[in-house]
Amino acid sequence: MIGAEPDSPEPRENAGPYLDSAHMARQSQNADDWVGCIRDVHDLFRKRLPPDCGGSVHVMPGTTLAVRRVLDCLRPHLRTGLATLLTTDDEYPGIVAALDEFWPGPMFVARTSDFVWHGRHAHLREFLEECVRITQPQVLYLSHVTRGAGFKYPDDLFALIRRVLPMAVIIVDGAQSFCNVDLRQVSLFKHIDVFVTSGHKFSGGTTYTGLVWVNEDFSSVIQDPAVGYTRSRGSGSTGDYQALSSLRIALVNLKDDVDGISFAEAVRDKMSETQRREHLVVGDTDYMSGIVTLWKLTDEQIRQLRTKLGNDFTLLFSEQWRDPTQGIRRERKAHCLHADKPGDADGWTLKYQEYAVEEERACAVADLRPKVVRLSYPPSEDCCAGLTYQEIATLIADCLV
Amino acid sequence: MTHEQGHVLLVGNFDLQNLDKGSFGLRAWNEVFAEYRKNLVNAGLQEEADLLPTFGPLWSMGDAQVRTTLRACLLPRSVTRYYPPKPIPLSDQVWQDPVSFRDCLLFFLRYMNTVAIVSASPAEYTEMLLTALGPIRIPVLITVATAVDIWPTSDRSFGAMRHALRLIPNNALQAQTIRAKVESIVSQWRQKDVGEVLLCHGDPTDTYTRDLKTEVLRLMRLSEDKVFSNAETLVKRLPTDKPAVILSVGYRDTLKSLIEQLPDRSGLTVLQSDGVSYDEYLEEIAPKPNSVFLLCRPAHDHSTYAKWAYSAVAAASAQAWRDSADRVGIERRLLAPIFRVREFLEKDKASVSFAGNENQSGGYYLSSVGPTHSEEPRVSA
């Protein structure tokens, strides 16, 4: 058993003997370990979060399912269909689909990926700041680290959002940051309400696990009727024991780096051979993308890159990397994202999607494309951490020798 | 706890060429600015109130240089205690269409934490504002435009009605008041002296005129042969020896041409819509002492509605500040801002009670205008 027993009275245990059984009335072989496994995962997840972040943690069968659950729990609290949601086009398509499906009010999708992919990430904070002011959303859904490029939003962005919108509900998708970024060192938990992450990415567990942290305000809101592994609030749980057990093992095996960067040692052993691809540099020297994706690096190379490039960018697994010209950029009629080609937006574009409250999902899509505003940031010479592209290329070449 | 100070955008017709005549926007601005100063004092920020500049000619956002200067003024300000939202005037007269106006609006919205927009413009400009805002759900509080058909209906309107409230009673309520008065006059006519009820209107393409005319005709069921756009034709139709009520729907130019043509005799009652101010009306009717002149006016001046709008936004902002400190429930946090403002409007102001987007309370009243009449006080709040 890992972690201390909770001081508070033990919540009602709902995990019965059939939880990982496909057949009714068939005794689970792992029933005895089930409750302990959940408790361990809770405790291990907690250890990866700032010690003073409070709130409560929950385990669910998948990140997307966890997000859907969070949204589902918010819906009864919406008095009208007028609450606005702001997200970005860097989110996982499944999440966008969930937001699209669950959110009854207007939804803005800020096109942040252009900034990252075109080397203008230094302006991303300012752009999101403006998006928040313009749309004045009641709910924000934002990645901590973007899945497309591994860009990590600065912590002070979340503080700024909170300054502008003290009442907004801020949900952070940490699928790419859990075990990639040392969450114990970040300040965002002071400013956000919900942190959702995955158990199978950098933590190295198998798929079908999602982890949720909610602050005190939400602890009583996020209930878990039969969709999670959570022990309390009437959960019947539908999770899979193997997945849960895998996550527990993965989290137990995570090591802490002395300098607080857990990735290098913790993830090294978890990268399978298939993920250790050949060296791959995305974007040739003529393309000022500012995004460099590398595989098969040694710990020392990773350390050097981290030291030189700073923390704006994190490292990516192959699964998380995707070509910006594909995937979410494709027109997704089902989601009405209707993403345009990059580069034609004079710096930025907000996408809007409207559902008529009375009518059934009558979608109207349009964009707000300010012509006079023209935030046309020129491709930056300092495309990454103050270094020119050429300097980065040299740096990488040096690292790879 | 650190917050970013909010702003309230006052969008109005600040007629820079005729500031002395007091446009809708300028009168609303004076009230709102005074209310802001009062809020500062009430919040214990006397020094801040003392430092407030006296605004001279208002900014026209057509000038790029002005924009640059403004941007420096509008930099977000982080505060560690509650500050009432700062009002910012914005003239909408220089913009010809919603697209160019949207560019201007976005300039402000990007840099200011805009918690609400108060509209102090006539119908066509308010409609432009709502269209320009598109999907942006910043609360819009309408204080001048009375046209019923103000809400954008195109696919790109994005449900403008859901984030806007009209404080000034609309033309449907004005038409009801006019109808009630006309019926009262007509009921006093003797059988043998049954007169005519005629309607004279101004430019039919003007949103306000068209809308009010439609509402009056709908309620009073006047036939087309009693509706005139030309005062001369109307006067020819006037009975010479019987009483008549002439409804004047439009602005000062419509009234002026009507009065010029109208014979000065008893038995004639002119009922003017609220497109003309009391003083303008008095000025125009001076040569006709024998007729009866009535003016239909909203219960409160539009600048009072603007003041109330600002006051409610400030109260809602203060409440949001307290709520964030008190960690209120999720339901409260998910509440769209327009409902917070509405709560305070309906709670604090007796003359505000909404059905949908429209204020159904207060309505309109009629006052007699003439040299012997003094301007009647409006209904107090």
Side-chain angles (χ1 to χ4, degrees):
Chain A
M1 186 70 64
I2 295 166
E5 288 293 324
D7 295 334
S8 56
E10 188 69 12
R12 184 166 64 89
E13 303 286 355
N14 292 289
Y18 306 111
L19 293 172
D20 61 340
S21 169
H23 305 286
M24 289 295 289
R26 180 179 167 193
Q27 178 73 28
S28 165
Q29 294 177 352
N30 308 105
D32 294 342
D33 191 33
W34 179 263
V35 174
C37 197
I38 292 169
R39 185 178 293 124
D40 288 351
V41 171
H42 277 205
D43 295 340
L44 289 163
F45 180 39
R46 269 267 179 219
K47 283 185 173 180
R48 294 278 144 197
L49 303 178
D52 58 348
C53 68
S56 60
V57 294
H58 307 262
V59 192
M60 295 192 184
T63 320
T64 309
L65 190 68
V67 173
R68 294 176 85 95
R69 186 72 205 130
V70 169
L71 294 171
D72 214 15
C73 291
L74 287 182
R75 277 180 65 132
H77 298 273
L78 282 167
R79 257 201 254 170
T80 66
L82 288 178
T84 300
L85 185 144
L86 173 67
T87 186
T88 75
D89 65 352
D90 253 329
E91 308 308 326
Y92 177 65
I95 296 293
V96 178
L99 297 175
D100 179 49
E101 188 176 318
F102 273 67
W103 196 250
M107 179 174 147
F108 286 90
V109 181
R111 290 184 58 180
T112 53
S113 57
D114 278 357
F115 285 83
V116 177
W117 287 106
H118 292 163
R120 305 199 307 261
H121 53 85
H123 302 285
L124 195 52
R125 183 181 178 280
E126 188 185 349
F127 168 67
L128 271 169
E129 200 180 320
E130 291 168 5
C131 286
V132 165
R133 288 209 193 94
I134 289 172
T135 58
Q136 298 277 321
Q138 278 71 62
V139 178
L140 279 98
Y141 189 96
L142 212 56
S143 281
H144 187 202
V145 171
T146 65
R147 68 183 296 277
F151 177 75
K152 182 166 83 69
Y153 285 114
D155 284 352
D156 65 346
L157 173 71
F158 298 96
L160 180 115
I161 291 171
R162 188 52 85 202
R163 272 209 300 276
V164 178
L165 303 168
M167 304 282 275
V169 174
I170 302 175
I171 305 170
V172 170
D173 186 334
Q176 304 297 339
S177 71
F178 181 54
C179 296
N180 184 14
V181 172
D182 191 347
L183 295 175
R184 292 164 300 185
Q185 307 293 324
V186 299
S187 63
L188 87 161
F189 286 88
K190 292 176 190 164
H191 310 293
I192 66 174
D193 297 288
V194 182
F195 183 86
V196 187
T197 188
S198 162
H200 76 275
K201 291 195 169 69
F202 289 92
S203 55
T206 59
T207 50
Y208 308 116
T209 50
L211 299 162
V212 182
W213 169 87
V214 293
N215 68 14
E216 288 84 354
D217 295 353
F218 280 79
S219 295
S220 61
V221 174
I222 306 295
Q223 301 188 358
D224 179 29
V227 293
Y229 296 90
T230 308
R231 291 169 293 170
S232 59
R233 296 195 173 277
S235 173
S237 187
T238 55
D240 177 74
Y241 175 78
Q242 296 303 329
L244 187 64
S245 176
S246 157
L247 178 59
R248 173 168 65 170
I249 294 165
L251 293 176
V252 166
N253 287 341
L254 271 177
K255 298 167 188 170
D256 285 331
D257 211 332
V258 284
D259 58 3
I261 301 171
S262 61
F263 175 84
E265 289 183 25
V267 180
R268 181 189 57 193
D269 300 332
K270 298 182 188 307
M271 291 179 72
S272 66
E273 280 306 311
T274 55
Q275 288 171 321
R276 291 172 181 257
R277 292 184 176 182
E278 294 302 312
H279 298 155
L280 170 66
V281 178
V282 180
D284 57 33
T285 49
D286 295 328
Y287 184 55
M288 302 281 282
S289 74
I291 304 301
V292 181
T293 306
L294 299 165
W295 308 111
K296 204 174 179 180
L297 299 177
T298 64
D299 290 351
E300 186 51 35
Q301 287 168 338
I302 289 170
R303 272 184 201 286
Q304 278 192 37
L305 284 173
R306 278 196 176 281
T307 309
K308 299 281 184 184
L309 296 180
N311 285 324
D312 276 359
F313 289 88
T314 59
L315 300 185
L316 296 173
F317 279 179
S318 57
E319 184 201 344
Q320 284 91 55
W321 178 81
R322 63 187 304 154
D323 187 327
T325 59
Q326 295 188 4
I328 199 165
R329 288 188 180 283
R330 282 181 303 188
E331 186 175 68
R332 295 174 59 87
K333 284 185 180 171
H335 306 144
C336 294
L337 271 177
H338 192 61
D340 289 329
K341 286 181 291 184
D344 64 346
D346 283 340
W348 61 280
T349 304
L350 288 176
K351 290 291 175 186
Y352 172 68
Q353 175 173 351
E354 157 94 349
Y355 294 149
V357 173
E358 318 74 33
E359 298 155 23
E360 198 174 341
R361 299 281 154 133
C363 292
V365 182
D367 57 359
L368 289 172
R369 188 171 302 170
K371 288 171 187 163
V372 173
V373 175
R374 285 203 187 99
L375 274 180
S376 51
Y377 302 118
S380 171
E381 286 296 315
D382 301 333
C383 60
C384 187
L387 301 174
T388 65
Y389 193 89
Q390 196 55 48
E391 286 170 331
I392 292 174
T394 308
L395 173 69
I396 291 165
D398 290 346
C399 286
L400 299 182
V401 168
Chain B
M1 188 169 55
T2 309
H3 289 201
E4 199 169 278
Q5 186 179 12
H7 293 85
V8 174
L9 209 53
L10 177 68
V11 180
N13 62 337
F14 301 103
D15 185 353
L16 298 178
Q17 307 303 320
N18 300 292
L19 277 177
D20 55 322
K21 293 186 179 173
S23 60
F24 286 130
L26 191 61
R27 281 158 57 200
W29 170 256
N30 289 335
E31 290 285 348
V32 167
F33 195 65
E35 190 67 15
Y36 172 52
R37 193 185 289 271
K38 199 172 98 184
N39 269 267
L40 281 174
V41 174
N42 289 345
L45 297 159
Q46 180 71 52
E47 287 180 11
E48 183 99 359
D50 293 342
L51 287 174
L52 284 179
T54 306
F55 281 82
L58 293 154
W59 304 317
S60 165
M61 290 305 297
D63 188 334
Q65 202 173 359
V66 176
R67 285 190 185 203
T68 312
T69 316
L70 255 184
R71 186 181 169 183
C73 301
L74 299 176
L75 285 177
R77 177 189 183 188
S78 290
V79 290
T80 52
R81 54 155 298 171
Y82 169 71
Y83 273 70
K86 185 188 287 185
I88 301 288
L90 172 62
S91 172
D92 55 11
Q93 301 294 292
V94 291
W95 308 105
Q96 305 302 320
D97 60 89
V99 176
S100 56
F101 188 45
R102 171 180 295 170
D103 295 338
C104 168
L105 272 176
L106 287 177
F107 172 84
F108 277 91
L109 302 184
R110 278 167 57 206
Y111 296 116
M112 300 183 335
N113 183 18
T114 312
V115 292
I117 297 174
V118 176
S119 163
S121 270
E124 56 268 41
Y125 288 100
T126 305
E127 195 173 352
M128 183 171 80
L129 169 70
L130 294 171
T131 308
L133 277 172
I136 295 169
R137 299 296 175 97
I138 293 173
V140 177
L141 301 158
I142 298 164
T143 62
V144 170
T146 55
V148 174
D149 191 19
I150 198 181
W151 312 106
T153 51
S154 69
D155 287 339
R156 294 179 65 86
S157 67
F158 302 105
M161 292 181 75
R162 298 191 211 131
H163 62 99
L165 291 172
R166 175 162 28 204
L167 279 77
I168 192 161
N170 66 14
N171 281 345
L173 290 171
Q174 181 166 197
Q176 285 175 25
T177 307
I178 291 171
R179 178 196 176 189
K181 184 65 183 175
V182 171
E183 283 184 351
S184 158
I185 295 170
V186 169
S187 68
Q188 291 169 19
W189 288 345
R190 285 173 295 180
Q191 193 74 32
K192 59 176 184 176
D193 284 335
V194 172
E196 292 266 26
V197 177
L198 305 173
L199 186 145
C200 180
H201 63 85
D203 178 8
T205 60
D206 174 72
T207 311
Y208 162 77
T209 307
R210 186 184 63 236
D211 188 82
L212 182 55
K213 182 188 136 197
T214 306
E215 288 299 319
V216 170
L217 292 182
R218 186 175 63 80
L219 271 180
M220 300 187 57
R221 301 188 180 181
L222 285 180
S223 57
E224 280 298 319
D225 62 334
K226 295 185 178 181
V227 178
F228 302 89
S229 59
N230 185 310
E232 197 177 340
T233 320
L234 179 142
V235 170
K236 284 179 187 165
R237 173 70 191 270
L238 266 183
T240 52
D241 54 348
K242 288 185 178 175
V245 176
I246 301 162
L247 308 176
S248 172
V249 173
Y251 303 105
R252 188 171 185 173
D253 55 340
T254 311
L255 175 70
K256 189 180 176 75
S257 62
L258 177 67
I259 299 291
E260 279 171 5
Q261 301 290 331
L262 213 59
D264 182 24
R265 69 169 174 86
S266 62
L268 278 185
T269 302
V270 177
L271 201 162
Q272 171 63 43
S273 70
D274 71 335
V276 175
S277 74
Y278 187 92
D279 293 338
E280 288 172 342
Y281 201 21
L282 195 59
E283 208 175 301
E284 293 297 339
I285 65 170
K288 313 281 178 180
N290 293 313
S291 303
V292 174
F293 294 97
L294 301 170
L295 178 61
C296 192
R297 294 196 289 176
H300 303 277
D301 187 73
H302 70 85
S303 57
T304 307
Y305 290 118
K307 183 176 79 173
W308 291 356
Y310 174 80
S311 169
V313 172
S317 297
Q319 182 66 50
W321 179 280
R322 287 191 295 272
D323 284 353
S324 62
D326 295 345
R327 304 187 79 122
V328 289
I330 305 302
E331 188 175 315
R332 196 78 198 149
R333 290 174 65 180
L334 292 173
L335 194 60
I338 190 74
F339 291 102
R340 297 175 193 280
V341 176
R342 180 176 167 161
E343 276 177 8
F344 281 96
L345 277 169
E346 292 188 324
K347 191 172 76 177
D348 296 344
K349 309 295 174 195
S351 286
V352 180
S353 175
F354 291 99
N357 307 78
E358 306 283 357
N359 179 14
Q360 298 294 338
S361 186
Y364 284 78
Y365 75 106
L366 284 152
S367 56
S368 297
V369 184
T372 56
H373 301 281
S374 59
E375 184 172 1
E376 294 169 25
R378 291 169 189 268
V379 179
S380 59

